[in-house]
Amino acid sequence: MSILVTGGAGYIGSHTCVSLLKAGFDIVVLDNLCNSKGSAVKYIKEITGKDFTFYRYDLRDIESVQSVFEKETIEAVIHLAGYKAVGESVRKPLMYYENNILGTLNLLKCMRERNVKKLIFSSSATVYTGALGKAPFQALTEESPLAVTNPYGRTKLMIEEILSDLYQSDPEWNIISLRYFNPIGAHESGLLGDDPNGIPNNLMPYIVQVAAGKLEKLNVFGDDYDTKDGTGVRDYIHVTDLADGHVAALKKLKNFSGIFTVYNLGTGRGYSVLEIIKTFSKINGIEIPYVIAPRREGDVDMCFADPSKAERELGWKATRNLEDMCRDSWNFQKTVLQID
Ligand code: NAD
Ligand code: WQD
């Protein structure tokens, strides 16, 4: 029996594959490599010393997804495949709805056909951010109000609603939606990490490219937020901790007999942009030139998790600190530079 990992060659998926293999699970990976490289699959095998089948298939093509379920004995699915860039989703909403929603519907249909009813879905803290700012900020629990402000976020919330409807219609399904906060960091080997194409949208990939001399300076988006130093505060979580959260969720899923539930995966701590720059510089010995720039549209002051439900029910807790995250992010970038 295998765990099917969609999007398993991607940033979070590749780390999740490593955690699953290390925990003794057999896996099958499906990814169309639209935002990742085949070399990630090679590195997952190298790091773990284990083999698995990789299908370079697209979830939008239901026949190829069906063929995976025909060839393999799938016990549960971890579904990470999808597009994830907020700004791009505003410019290309149909592309996002097609990939994220249609891709998920195809997967769910194939699962139902084969009676595979265990699923872990990659959701996001973005499902909360549209509701923030109306009341004083409190750490986000799974019961916090939900609201989204862009097509990407809407795909995540819609998929959670689809999954909830599916469970209502057939309580034999066991579904966990994991709401990730801000994953950064990389595998300690330096072989797996976040390597976006073009100019990065997210903070840590941008910082590492400034450190590498590929970009001149960081634009800090706003210093007049209602936070400790005026810059935005987020809950950064090491991608390996996040990956381990999937293993904890999978173990829990095996014991359920019918459930749809959600967990926040974050550390419960918020760091500001300036704190990230400072820690990165200190741990890696590299100055990061930056300028204060206008606020970025759609950003909120603060966003961090109350991760206690995951600790209580999954026995999972993030263990790596911000220094680990900054060191590993840079270590990965250095490896990429050597390979490129
Ligand atoms: P990523 O782009 O590195 O990984 C996604 C993978 O899915 C890629 O390898 C891509 O090639 C693949 N993919 C996309 N569409 C596909 C399709 N139609 N068929 C097959 N493969 C397809 O992104 P990531 O950061 O690893 O994110 C993984 C998941 O986690 C996504 O669903 C994302 O929305 C979610 N998420 C990410 C973050 C974050 O900050 N990185 C935060 C919250 C949630
Ligand atoms: C973090 C902080 C910026 C870049 C995004 C998605 C969210 C989720 C995680 C998928 C903010 C500041 C950033 C820069 C900066 N992804 N910043 N200069 O916006 O919290 O979350 O990724 O689900 O949905 O929205 O992450 O890394 O973009 O920004 O000052 O060049 O860094 O303003 O305060 P964000 P981020």
Side-chain angles (χ1 to χ4, degrees), residues 6-13 30-36 57-60 79-84 99-100 103 121-125 152 156 180-183 194 202:
T6 75
Y11 173 45
I12 302 168
L30 181 154
D31 197 304
N32 65 359
L33 303 182
C34 67
N35 197 37
S36 51
Y57 287 171
D58 192 315
L59 280 182
R60 287 165 292 192
H79 175 37
L80 301 107
Y83 293 147
K84 62 166 180 177
N99 198 41
N100 293 8
F121 171 63
S122 296
S123 187
S124 166
Y152 165 70
K156 291 294 169 190
Y180 312 153
F181 280 66
N182 288 56
D194 196 7
N202 298 114

Side-chain angles (χ1 to χ4, degrees), residues 75-198:
E75 182 188 3
V77 178
I78 301 185
H79 175 37
L80 301 107
Y83 293 147
K84 62 166 180 177
V86 172
E88 185 183 51
S89 79
V90 176
R91 292 189 300 277
K92 300 176 180 172
L94 297 184
M95 190 175 104
Y96 270 67
Y97 288 121
E98 183 180 21
N99 198 41
N100 293 8
I101 306 281
L102 179 64
T104 301
L105 291 177
N106 283 347
L107 176 67
L108 293 173
K109 283 196 236 169
C110 294
M111 290 177 71
R112 193 185 49 189
E113 261 167 34
R114 289 273 151 179
N115 213 29
V116 179
K117 293 183 177 173
K118 290 184 170 54
L119 174 75
I120 295 175
F121 171 63
S122 296
S123 187
S124 166
T126 195
V127 298
Y128 301 116
T129 47
L132 294 177
K134 292 171 188 94
F137 182 81
Q138 285 187 322
L140 294 159
T141 71
E142 289 77 0
E143 275 71 49
S144 294
L146 304 178
V148 286
T149 55
N150 56 73
Y152 165 70
R154 254 183 286 285
T155 67
K156 291 294 169 190
L157 197 51
M158 280 178 192
I159 293 170
E160 285 200 359
E161 286 168 347
I162 291 168
L163 296 176
S164 169
D165 288 342
L166 183 61
Y167 171 68
Q168 295 300 325
S169 75
D170 175 2
E172 277 183 13
W173 280 84
N174 292 281
I175 303 170
I176 292 180
S177 184
L178 298 176
R179 294 179 181 155
Y180 312 153
F181 280 66
N182 288 56
I184 59 171
H187 192 262
E188 59 188 4
S189 63
L191 294 172
L192 301 172
D194 196 7
D195 185 18
N197 297 324

Side-chain angles (χ1 to χ4, degrees), residues 299-310:
D299 272 357
V300 293
D301 299 36
M302 243 186 306
C303 177
F304 58 87
D306 173 346
S308 56
K309 184 182 175 198

Side-chain angles (χ1 to χ4, degrees), residues 186 189-191 194-195 208-209 211-212 214 280 283-286 326-340:
S189 63
L191 294 172
D194 196 7
D195 185 18
V208 293
Q209 292 209 11
K214 291 184 183 174
F280 186 94
I283 195 84
N284 296 314
I286 303 171
C326 290
R327 190 196 49 240
D328 292 342
S329 293
W330 178 233
N331 184 40
F332 170 67
Q333 180 67 28
K334 282 190 294 188
T335 316
V336 170
L337 284 176
Q338 278 158 19
I339 293 169
D340 276 355

Side-chain angles (χ1 to χ4, degrees), residues 2 4 27-28 53 55 67-74 114:
S2 300
L4 172 64
I27 65 168
V28 171
T53 309
Y55 294 93
S67 74
V68 174
F69 280 86
E70 274 154 27
K71 276 188 231 133
E72 307 285 344
T73 312
I74 307 294
R114 289 273 151 179

